[in-house]
Amino acid sequence: MPTIRHASRWKALLLSGAVLCLAFNASARAANFESPQDGVYADHIDWGMTADMSGPSSGAQNPWGQGFQDAVKVVNEKGGVGGRKINVLVEDTRYDATAERVAYEKFVSQTPALGTSGMGNSSAQTAMVPLIKRSKLPVVGTYTTAKAAVEPPTPYFYGGFCGFKEMAQTGVGFFTDHLALKQPTVALVHLDVASGKEYAGYMEAAVTARGGTFKAIPIKVVAADATPQVLDILAMKPDFVAIHGVTTTSILVMKAMLQYGINAPAFAISYLGTPTVYDGLGPDAGKNYYFVSCFSPASSDLKVSVALSAAADKFGHSALKDDVNYVAGYVIGNMVADAIGKAGAEPTREKLSAMLNTGYVANTGGLSSELKYTPTDHFGLTALKPLSFDYATKSFKSYGEYADFGKYLQ
Amino acid sequence: MTTLRSSVLRLLCWAIGIGFVLYVPFVLNTRTVFGYRVGNMVLLNLGLAQVDLMLISIIGAVSLNFLTGCAGLISVGHAAFFAVGAMAAAAAGQQLGLPFAATLIAATIAGAIAGVIAGLPSLRVRGLYFVLSTLALHFIVVFCFAEYQYAFHDVAGVTMGDATIMGFELDNNVKWYFFLLPFVVLVCVMLQSTLGLREGRAVLAMRDNELAAAASGIDVRMLRLKVFAFSSAIASLAGALQAYYFTSVSAEIYTLDTAIQFIAMIIVGGMGSIRGGIAGAVVWLLLPSVLVGTTVELKVLPGGVAQFLVGHQPQMVNLTFGVLVAVLLITAPGGLAGLARSFAARGSRQGSGV
Amino acid sequence: MLMQFLASGFMLGSVYGLVALGFAAIYKATRVFNFAQGMLMATGAYLAVTGSVVLGLPLVGTIAFVVVAAGTLGVVIQWLLIRPLAGRPLLAMVMITIALSIILRALIVIIFGGGAQTLRLGLPEGSFVLGSVRISAIHATAAGVSWLCMALFMVFFRFSKAGLLMRATADSHEAAVLSGVNVNRINATAWALGTILAAIGGVFLGQLQVASVELENIGLLALPAVVIGGLQSIPGAIIGGLLVGLIEQLSSGYISPKARDIFVYVPLLIILLVRPWGLFGERELGRV
């Protein structure tokens, strides 16, 4: 063990020496801007990315990370940003608040990064708000956005995923109009964890705002069966059902609804609009399953997804391009590159966060709804649209444009 | 002559050790050694946040080692006691408005009380059945924590107050390091000296042969409860410190996995000694970072292998740990501390032979 | 409503019972409290994915593949991890199974990736109505197969020579060794059987939802099941599994799904305090 450590230490010394020499040469030639404490070097920029890659939500967050990295790879192949390649420093945080914090602090000073993305753990975000404000390392484009992190907005935190409140409002609004209901009766199956409680609150507000009746039915994260939940639904006879949970939740609830002959449509949160869920459901249970999303799976709009598909095919992720999580990562990867470019030829953390804070609109090429930050709103994405999967053509189908559903948001 | 030389040598070792412990946080914080900036891998890909969390884990691991290694009571309830500590500190700080230092004391007392309650099954069952009673305890405590969180705090987590002690706010890692260090030293010294006392010897006697211990007049049942209360009080203190360090904690972070990791720590480090607990926590908390850093450095390996390693970094780390525990269990039951001891024994034997 | 809960609880409980039975088989023969039983169950689901999706085997072929592969895995585990620890204290035995589950989890994620895998074996879908109760065909199949496996196991355990030796070894390890029984072979058989039973449970749970490593946490419910039933009792394990299934459905249905943990683990605690040998077990040492 000590010998190995020694060897790597020597190697590291040699490497850092080599890097120093290189850096010296480069600076002698072009006097390029460098700011190592911000992760900005003459030829590259270090950028952090955290995701759950081996923990309970790795099934969804891994595709996100792949999408993010693929987008950055494409940017780098085209020459990077302002002549600098983006070097993504990846940390697996296992959906663990401790690991999330360690990773963030690592990007602050240990292997300094210009900014960081991902951070898909809202409890960790809530706990880290004071740390982020102190450390001033911008978090740009998160996989989930905790309320405490953006209300009130800080210059160092920018969301990057559809919000629960908007999911609830869009879903309830769309189905109420779509089914021509006056006062909708809605059942929600949600996880009995923090985010599930939060979503239940938003759903209740959205339904009662339309004078409807609402019932929240909790389910465990690790469930083997959804019979009690579905019997609750059966007793309530809702016009439509909403689902918050993990892949398993959707599959269990939809299959049990089929079993009990409940024909009401169901809409799930964005994270659950994945090919895995539709594949697991099969056409019979899947035909009633919708989801609301601010990202478009590749097959739902072939015109705008050309570049995304090319990148996914090129880096061996063809199977992921219809996964909204992959698309989300891809959009955020591109946004990060674009934002660094807009932070000027001499980017620093301070300049980047100042630029974003004064107002920023990303060009997402139609892969998502408008992604913009204003001084008062750091949430990023707001508009969503309903989607479902067509088993006959094996492609996702959307029920309109993002702009059509802005009317449901308050 | 030799005794003088060896005592000077020992003094020197201590001085260097203490100097190291006092200087390390500054090195890790500024990433410089005596003013010279050093690369990340030179510092083994470690950060000060990890070291702070390691200090908290050391407190947890040594207290579990006292319970399991010294008293022979196996418990998977350590995550639950961390939760009890966090809950008590939050309740004392947020609901009752007590200052930081008082909440830590409250957490310790709550831990001791919870320990007595959780230790009650030990009056009737032991061995595997006792492990299972702590398993049940774990789920019950986490359920209570979730209810408490939803009832009195935000769904996103139980918010802790500021960690301020006499107007001095613990708001960065260096301050936390120097705040946590005395706790670690105090807990280790306390446990070590307890083992030297009559009660401590009784604990070891009870582990080694319960009937004999009972025959020699030790009230085995009371002793077990005392040990359990003592150990869980310390674990609760660590839990409260951890919660304050995080500023906000959620029921979801107290998983059975956390409890199992503490057991893994003492197995890796070595059962039944303070040193073993420390070594285990150090390895368990710091090795992943070192491994991950090394796989990144391994980019020089032939394309496929390096890509595979980097692509499966987290799984590789988990695999390494699983295998490490299994191999240590099979080949070195004394853990790292045991290995070091036998290594030193062999060294001194050879030395005396020359 | 109540009948419906009882029916679905019974069917789910049958699968738990099967997993718990595998657990009890291992415990009875080798005195190893196998915390990896949940992971072995998840492994079964992934073995089925390997058979049906990767190798493209038909239903019968997949089942044969799962049984053979799980049996082999059990023997390998016993030979590689359990045998070297024979005679070591309880903690080492408990911890080695935890290490085993960490290793299995990492290997599964390395091979299959972290995402869930769809498992479709072509078992009957759809549902039928029986009296006032609606039953899904897949649940009924799962319960039926579970009871069949349990019956087969009981027959094996009662009447076959290997089963007899296994019972003899469980009753007195020393006596078995003295009378020339190859204890290692008996232990390997127990591990093979335990792993196969867990794997079959995993195939059904994977079929009811998806194959993922998170199935481990469902499999861990076999722990309280087996203790409530009685660690030493084979029928106790099955009844414990049924009880846990019923408790889960009734508490989710009438109170809240969160209450499941309380309604499973509080009785566990009470049983440990009042009757540590379980509802159906025999009084044994391990108490003060």
Side-chain angles (χ1 to χ4, degrees), chain B residues 74 121 124-129 132-133 136 139 143 147 260 263-264 267 271 308 312 315 318 322 329-330 333, chain C residues 27 33 84-85 88 90-91 95-96 98 102 106 109-110 227 258 262 265 269 272-274 276 284 286-288:
Chain B
I74 306 169
R124 281 192 53 87
V125 295
R126 62 180 175 211
L128 191 55
Y129 296 99
L132 289 164
S133 77
F139 285 103
F143 176 83
E147 291 301 306
I260 287 170
I263 304 183
I267 284 182
M271 302 273 288
F308 181 80
H312 294 93
Q315 287 78 35
N318 291 348
L329 275 172
I330 294 169
Chain C
Y27 182 79
F33 196 81
L85 286 181
R88 291 274 286 281
L90 172 68
L91 183 66
M95 208 48 212
I96 196 84
I98 290 172
I102 296 174
V109 178
I110 287 173
V227 179
K258 241 193 341 211
I262 291 298
Y265 286 100
L269 203 55
L272 283 172
L273 288 176
V274 181
E284 60 155 340
R287 298 189 57 234
V288 176

Side-chain angles (χ1 to χ4, degrees), chain B:
Chain B
M1 193 58 195
T2 29
T3 47
L4 183 68
R5 206 196 298 163
S6 75
S7 66
V8 168
L9 208 68
R10 179 176 277 188
L11 211 66
L12 203 68
C13 280
W14 271 100
I16 292 174
I18 290 172
F20 178 77
V21 167
L22 294 182
Y23 189 52
V24 148
F26 298 104
V27 170
L28 290 177
N29 195 43
T30 59
R31 316 303 292 177
T32 56
V33 177
F34 301 118
Y36 294 100
R37 192 164 175 87
V38 289
N40 182 43
M41 268 320 283
V42 179
L43 298 176
L44 298 171
N45 194 24
L46 297 175
L48 193 50
Q50 269 155 298
V51 174
D52 284 353
L53 289 161
M54 179 196 80
L55 291 177
I56 296 170
S57 289
I58 288 180
I59 303 179
V62 293
S63 68
L64 181 68
N65 212 351
F66 183 70
L67 182 70
T68 304
C70 301
L73 285 166
I74 306 169
S75 159
V76 289
H78 242 52
F81 290 120
F82 266 60
V84 167
M87 214 177 347
Q94 302 294 87
Q95 267 91 48
L96 304 180
L98 297 179
F100 174 54
T103 63
L104 292 184
I105 296 167
T108 314
I109 295 169
I113 296 168
V116 170
I117 297 168
L120 286 177
S122 78
L123 299 182
R124 281 192 53 87
V125 295
R126 62 180 175 211
L128 191 55
Y129 296 99
F130 184 72
V131 183
L132 289 164
S133 77
T134 60
L135 180 79
L137 164 90
H138 170 87
F139 285 103
I140 294 165
V141 167
V142 172
F143 176 83
C144 296
F145 191 101
E147 291 301 306
Y148 168 74
Q149 177 185 340
Y150 295 148
F152 295 101
H153 296 266
D154 189 67
V155 285
V158 172
T159 36
M160 312 296 292
D162 290 332
T164 309
I165 203 146
M166 289 182 287
F168 187 74
E169 198 188 348
L170 299 167
D171 57 0
N172 68 40
N173 283 324
V174 178
K175 288 181 191 169
W176 266 105
Y177 180 89
F178 286 108
F179 179 73
L180 290 171
L181 199 59
F183 277 102
V184 174
V185 174
L186 195 75
V187 166
C188 290
V189 168
M190 197 165 69
L191 287 173
Q192 189 72 56
S193 52
T194 308
L195 284 177
L197 293 177
R198 211 177 63 86
E199 292 259 278
R201 285 197 300 275
V203 168
L204 294 178
M206 174 181 75
R207 175 196 65 183
D208 294 337
N209 190 336
E210 198 179 311
L211 288 178
S216 63
I218 298 170
D219 185 349
V220 178
R221 293 169 162 219
M222 262 326 275
L223 190 60
R224 237 190 248 130
L225 275 189
K226 274 190 206 159
V227 170
F228 213 90
F230 192 41
S231 160
S232 43
I234 298 171
S236 287
L237 172 67
L241 289 169
Q242 188 198 43
Y244 273 108
Y245 184 80
F246 281 151
T247 66
S248 153
V249 285
S250 159
E252 289 152 44
I253 76 167
Y254 300 104
T255 59
L256 194 57
D257 226 35
T258 323
I260 287 170
Q261 286 188 20
F262 279 113
I263 304 183
M265 282 178 214
I266 62 173
I267 284 182
V268 169
M271 302 273 288
S273 71
I274 305 299
R275 230 175 283 171
I278 298 174
V282 170
V283 169
W284 201 263
L285 271 282
L286 302 190
L287 189 62
S289 230
V290 180
L291 284 177
V292 166
T294 327
T295 52
V296 174
E297 294 289 312
L298 284 178
K299 272 180 184 149
V300 284
L301 279 179
V305 181
Q307 211 171 9
F308 181 80
L309 281 178
V310 173
H312 294 93
Q313 230 172 47
Q315 287 78 35
M316 284 301 172
V317 171
N318 291 348
L319 193 62
T320 312
F321 271 83
V323 172
L324 178 72
V325 170
V327 167
L328 279 176
L329 275 172
I330 294 169
T331 61
L336 294 177
L339 279 180
R341 217 175 301 134
S342 62
F343 209 68
R346 200 183 300 160
S348 70
R349 243 201 325 271
Q350 276 170 359
S352 63
V354 174

Side-chain angles (χ1 to χ4, degrees), chain C residues 164-263:
Chain C
L164 182 76
L165 290 178
M166 223 184 252
R167 273 184 294 154
T169 318
D171 285 342
S172 170
H173 193 85
E174 287 78 18
V177 175
L178 285 178
S179 53
V181 175
N182 185 342
V183 176
N184 271 323
R185 189 182 293 168
I186 296 297
N187 287 353
T189 315
W191 268 91
L193 284 174
T195 311
I196 290 171
L197 294 176
I200 293 173
V203 171
F204 282 112
L205 284 174
Q207 172 85 24
L208 290 174
Q209 39 177 277
V210 278
S212 84
V213 280
E214 299 307 317
L215 285 178
E216 177 187 16
N217 294 311
I218 300 175
L220 279 183
L221 282 175
L223 256 69
V226 93
V227 179
I228 290 174
L231 263 177
Q232 284 293 315
S233 160
I234 293 287
I238 297 172
I239 294 168
L242 279 178
L243 274 178
V244 169
L246 289 172
I247 290 174
E248 177 173 347
Q249 292 293 310
L250 292 173
S251 67
S252 301
Y254 289 109
I255 302 159
S256 124
K258 241 193 341 211
R260 178 188 79 187
D261 284 350
I262 291 298
F263 282 96

Side-chain angles (χ1 to χ4, degrees), chain C residues 28 54 68 72 105 127 161 165 174-175 210 279 284:
Chain C
K28 207 166 164 65
V54 182
V68 171
T72 317
R105 190 189 185 100
S127 61
K161 184 159 175 276
L165 290 178
E174 287 78 18
V210 278
L279 293 177
E284 60 155 340

Side-chain angles (χ1 to χ4, degrees), chain C residues 13-58:
Chain C
S14 305
V15 181
Y16 292 161
L18 184 69
V19 179
L21 178 63
F23 186 94
I26 291 174
Y27 182 79
K28 207 166 164 65
T30 67
R31 288 302 149 109
V32 175
F33 196 81
N34 183 18
F35 272 95
Q37 194 75 1
M39 208 62 226
L40 290 177
M41 201 190 81
T43 309
Y46 276 96
L47 286 175
V49 170
T50 314
S52 69
V53 182
V54 182
L55 303 177
L57 299 172

